[in-house]
Amino acid sequence: MVKVSRDFQVFAKPAASLCNLECSYCYYLDKQNLYPRQESFRMSDELLEEYIVQHIEASPGPVIRFSWHGGEPTLLGLDYYRKIVELQRKHQPRKQHIVNGLQTNGTLLDEDWCRFLAAEGFMIGLSLDGPQEMHNRYRKTKDRKPTYDQTMRGYRLLQKHNISNDILCVVNDFNVMYPLQVYRFFKQIEAGYISFLPLVERQLDSEGIVSSHTVPADAWGGFLSVIFDEWASQDIGRIKVQIFEEATRTAFDQEHSLCIFRPVCGDIPVIEHNGDFYSCDHFVDNEHNLGNIRRIPLVDLLESSKQRAFGQAKLDSLPRYCLECEVRAMCNGECPKNRFIKTPDGETGLNYLCAGYKQFFMHCRPFVTEVAAEWRRKSS
């Protein structure tokens, strides 16, 4: 049986881009336009089983990780996920362990959902953009009503049932101005793991290069730096912040766990509801549709020359400005989707957020250097 030559993660979209919300900054809602003749955006039971089998067969390590995304994946209902677990058990190899992750807006979670998620050991990512005013700014229902109360109800249920969860906070033009309010809110609600995702919306048909929702690059760097200082002085070992962990990994010469900071990407493709394979969650378009798992096995798509070339292009297209940067190891040019401005000397392909990332990584580098020195002393 052929296995993939490296660890991988697939964002499976069994409900495609369907969602019960209509967040102003969502980049995935319009992906249904790729399938104008589809009658249903629900992955069929037959295809679901085929995907699960192929994913298990391709996984090389002792832990097989499934990641269920959307849209809003809970729209399919609890019985759909009971079917998922049933199929996984049916095909699970004796020497491998299966772990499920699910990214949700939390608004549809209830006691039944949470009893199931707890019993089956699901790891939950919850989208929450900060305190009420900040969360409600852009995260609204389709009739433009706020969602904070529903999301917090879901979060409290996750806590009640002791379900492992992490907060995904989209940092935009508004909440970026209040770093300590955002961070202290997450501390107040006892968040144990926080991921900050900068919002970058490119606009090709307007005078500006980015939308008004987009986080300004300099403000992004300041936001992270202010939060880092409080975290470093008060919360080390108590709260995990993903980007701080990624920066610290360089102290131990460890590979980044987050794809955007790796030198080469391409290990987190998308499987759509109909089995189509796309190179990346941010490149779900016709150009990056490499085939369908009904016709080409998942392992072959993951190992394909096109997918390898997609990942390698991240490194090969890095501008000289980045190649010579003193914090390159922490950043590696971040995500290719954000590389659309020019370097100071006019070379194309610089990341829109470069100034912010450089500000933050330079700010935290003394801490990382100290951690590295302490580690070397203890290991010598």
Side-chain angles (χ1 to χ4, degrees), residues 125-128 155 165-169 186 189 191 193-196:
L126 184 77
S127 297
L128 179 62
Y155 176 67
N165 68 86
D166 64 84
I167 301 295
L168 176 62
C169 173
F186 290 138
I189 66 171
Y193 195 98
I194 308 166
S195 297
F196 292 116

Side-chain angles (χ1 to χ4, degrees), residues 39-52:
E39 294 184 5
S40 173
F41 286 93
R42 176 188 183 277
M43 184 181 284
S44 69
D45 290 354
E46 176 192 5
L47 179 57
L48 177 65
E49 182 165 17
E50 180 64 27
Y51 164 60
I52 287 172

Side-chain angles (χ1 to χ4, degrees), residues 34-189:
L34 293 167
Y35 304 97
R37 292 186 294 274
Q38 288 290 118
E39 294 184 5
S40 173
F41 286 93
R42 176 188 183 277
M43 184 181 284
S44 69
D45 290 354
E46 176 192 5
L47 179 57
L48 177 65
E49 182 165 17
E50 180 64 27
Y51 164 60
I52 287 172
V53 168
Q54 290 194 30
H55 188 113
I56 288 172
E57 290 180 345
S59 299
V63 179
I64 303 170
R65 301 184 186 279
F66 284 88
S67 299
W68 307 101
H69 283 245
E72 176 48 47
T74 60
L75 277 175
L76 294 173
L78 181 51
D79 285 344
Y80 192 90
Y81 288 86
R82 290 192 176 111
K83 170 66 73 173
I84 285 174
V85 171
E86 177 185 327
L87 291 170
Q88 289 172 338
R89 288 192 178 124
K90 176 181 175 182
H91 298 287
Q92 180 177 350
R94 284 187 298 174
K95 295 185 178 181
Q96 288 178 293
H97 176 62
I98 291 177
V99 174
N100 284 290
L102 185 145
Q103 182 66 39
T104 178
N105 58 44
T107 61
L108 301 179
L109 297 179
D110 58 20
E111 290 283 352
D112 288 342
W113 262 108
C114 288
R115 279 192 288 267
F116 166 80
L117 295 171
E120 299 299 339
F122 270 65
M123 302 173 67
I124 303 301
L126 184 77
S127 297
L128 179 62
D129 288 353
Q132 185 168 2
E133 180 186 5
M134 299 180 199
H135 178 87
N136 285 337
R137 181 82 167 197
Y138 296 128
R139 299 192 61 81
K140 299 180 183 295
T141 63
K142 293 186 183 299
D143 55 359
R144 311 314 298 157
K145 293 181 179 177
T147 62
Y148 174 83
D149 289 341
Q150 299 97 306
T151 298
M152 285 303 298
R153 184 189 67 238
Y155 176 67
R156 293 303 185 192
L157 284 169
L158 293 173
Q159 288 183 309
K160 174 183 174 181
H161 289 269
N162 296 313
I163 297 168
S164 176
N165 68 86
D166 64 84
I167 301 295
L168 176 62
C169 173
V170 175
V171 183
N172 51 63
D173 66 306
F174 181 57
N175 61 2
V176 74
M177 297 185 292
Y178 306 97
L180 288 181
Q181 284 181 242
V182 171
Y183 182 59
R184 288 172 181 172
F185 166 75
F186 290 138
K187 288 205 290 185
Q188 177 187 338
I189 66 171

